[in-house]
Amino acid sequence: MNLKNQVEWALHCCAVLSNLPEGRYLSARSLSEFHGVPKEYLGKALQGLSKAGIVHTTLGPSGGYRLALPAGEITFLNVVEAVEGRKSTFQCSEIRANNPCRPGDFCDDKPCAIARVMWKADEAWRQTLAAVSLADLQQTLQQDLPAEILRRSTEWLLDRAG
Amino acid sequence: MNLKNQVEWALHCCAVLSNLPEGRYLSARSLSEFHGVPKEYLGKALQGLSKAGIVHTTLGPSGGYRLALPAGEITFLNVVEAVEGRKSTFQCSEIRANNPCRPGDFCDDKPCAIARVMWKADEAWRQTLAAVSLADLQQTLQQDLPAEILRRSTEWLLDRAG
DNA sequence: CAATCATGGACATGCCATATCCGGATCGGG
DNA sequence: CCCGATCCGGATATGGCATGTCCATGATTG
């Protein structure tokens, strides 16, 4: 029961893109270099963000990625679901139907009681992620990191943004 | 990002064991037959419950499993963690350390801001599961299921309980 | 026209969930 | 006191999926 590596990468990429000036683009190559992860595989995660409408892309030289919405309107949940999918962590295989004491034609009117609890927990998980936006993350990072590193990182980005 | 099949099986087994009279035991063979799942593999999940102290076991003929605590003192979280483990769903690989703008000797004083959000979501998930006990589940099932099926299931169990 | 980029498909690899099987230890009933 | 049933743990297969690489294609910029 692990989230994919790509979820972590996508979130870090979004954090970087949040600091990009309006209208500028950053390539997958630069993003992979900045985070020290394989470029080709990171591209798969970024494609997921693109399909979900979280980022906008441009082709050709000086092309790449930028956020498609203001950072305050993109939540952790949006990013996580774009990469990981929207399936619940709990898959109900309806084993209650295997109960030998059931009439063969019996039809349940509610989902399994166990599944309902597990799905409620998933919902709590999603609500927590939906409550935090990329703007919140940006603010947290500015408090956590020394100004010197922030300054040099921004410089590094602007140097490569098309 | 899926929970194991065994989690579902373990929860259903616990629901059955909740209806067992004090001091009686039910074998892995009966539990697997009742749920229509492979006996050998279900045994692995039950071993997890045993190690976690959730169920008590007895060897020999008429042996098997019973709850080790009152149903009101066993939570969904206990069962899930016994089978699935206690690791967080999000593994932070510290890719922030790969940032080329960081001094090589820089040491973070806090966990990664992204990981903190993801871990908070996991915590909300666990809290939801910790809030529901097997006694709660038992009560829900008695409301959901027709009395006839409940009666026949209980009869089926008592017929096989040692 | 040449270089750079995103996209998507094909392919390889390794790990883990999903089983299955067997031997040993333990216990109940005849 | 023996026989069979049971839990337990280890060894072993197998399939799917996460991880990662490579390449062809089309689009865009300079």
Side-chain angles (χ1 to χ4, degrees):
Chain A
M1 164 88 153
N2 289 328
L3 287 166
K4 306 186 204 181
N5 253 341
Q6 291 183 333
V7 171
E8 180 183 13
W9 300 354
L11 286 168
H12 278 276
C13 285
C14 286
V16 168
L17 294 179
S18 298
N19 288 320
L20 211 57
E22 187 100 12
R24 310 280 293 274
Y25 290 83
L26 197 61
S27 71
R29 191 168 62 82
S30 295
L31 283 167
S32 72
E33 191 180 340
F34 187 84
H35 293 117
V37 300
K39 171 201 150 194
E40 309 279 355
Y41 192 38
L42 175 64
K44 307 290 185 184
L46 294 172
Q47 285 178 32
L49 297 182
S50 176
K51 275 189 186 177
I54 294 173
V55 298
H56 183 256
T57 67
T58 307
L59 295 180
S62 80
Y65 301 86
R66 66 166 169 85
L67 295 185
L69 299 169
E73 297 178 20
I74 301 175
T75 69
F76 269 60
L77 183 62
N78 297 140
V79 178
V80 170
E81 284 189 339
V83 175
E84 186 70 36
R86 293 184 179 178
K87 280 190 313 184
S88 166
T89 64
F90 182 84
Q91 309 293 335
C92 177
S93 58
E94 291 290 338
I95 64 175
R96 59 178 173 174
N98 299 334
N99 181 337
C101 304
R102 288 197 168 207
D105 60 348
F106 180 74
C107 189
D108 295 286
D109 53 346
K110 290 184 186 178
C112 174
I114 288 174
R116 294 209 302 273
V117 174
M118 300 302 292
W119 291 338
K120 188 179 164 192
D122 277 349
E123 191 51 38
W125 183 77
R126 281 192 286 265
Q127 277 186 14
T128 304
L129 294 183
V132 184
S133 72
L134 293 182
D136 298 328
L137 174 63
Q138 194 176 16
Q139 194 172 353
T140 303
L141 285 173
Q142 283 181 5
Q143 290 169 3
D144 282 11
L145 285 175
E148 173 66 11
I149 292 183
L150 283 173
R151 192 190 57 75
R152 289 173 57 185
S153 297
T154 303
E155 187 179 343
W156 192 96
L157 293 182
L158 292 181
D159 213 39
R160 285 159 179 81
Chain B
M1 162 89 152
N2 291 328
L3 287 166
K4 305 186 203 182
N5 253 341
Q6 292 184 334
V7 171
E8 181 183 13
W9 300 353
L11 286 167
H12 279 275
C13 286
C14 285
V16 167
L17 294 179
S18 298
N19 288 320
L20 211 59
E22 187 101 15
R24 310 280 292 274
Y25 290 82
L26 197 61
S27 72
R29 192 167 63 81
S30 296
L31 283 168
S32 72
E33 192 179 339
F34 187 83
H35 292 117
V37 299
K39 173 200 148 195
E40 309 279 353
Y41 192 39
L42 175 63
K44 305 290 183 184
L46 295 172
Q47 287 177 31
L49 297 182
S50 175
K51 274 190 186 175
I54 294 173
V55 299
H56 183 254
T57 67
T58 308
L59 295 180
S62 81
Y65 300 85
R66 67 166 171 82
L67 295 186
L69 299 169
E73 297 178 19
I74 302 175
T75 70
F76 269 60
L77 182 63
N78 297 140
V79 177
V80 170
E81 284 189 341
V83 174
E84 186 70 35
R86 293 184 179 179
K87 278 190 313 182
S88 167
T89 64
F90 182 84
Q91 310 293 336
C92 177
S93 59
E94 291 289 340
I95 64 176
R96 60 179 173 174
N98 299 333
N99 182 337
C101 304
R102 287 196 169 211
D105 60 348
F106 180 74
C107 189
D108 295 286
D109 52 347
K110 291 185 186 180
C112 175
I114 289 175
R116 295 209 302 272
V117 174
M118 300 303 292
W119 291 338
K120 188 179 164 192
D122 277 348
E123 191 51 39
W125 184 77
R126 281 192 286 266
Q127 278 186 12
T128 304
L129 294 182
V132 185
S133 72
L134 293 182
D136 298 327
L137 174 63
Q138 195 176 14
Q139 194 173 352
T140 302
L141 286 173
Q142 283 180 5
Q143 291 170 2
D144 282 9
L145 286 176
E148 174 65 12
I149 292 182
L150 283 172
R151 192 189 56 74
R152 289 172 60 185
S153 296
T154 304
E155 188 180 340
W156 192 95
L157 291 183
L158 292 181
D159 213 39
R160 287 160 177 81

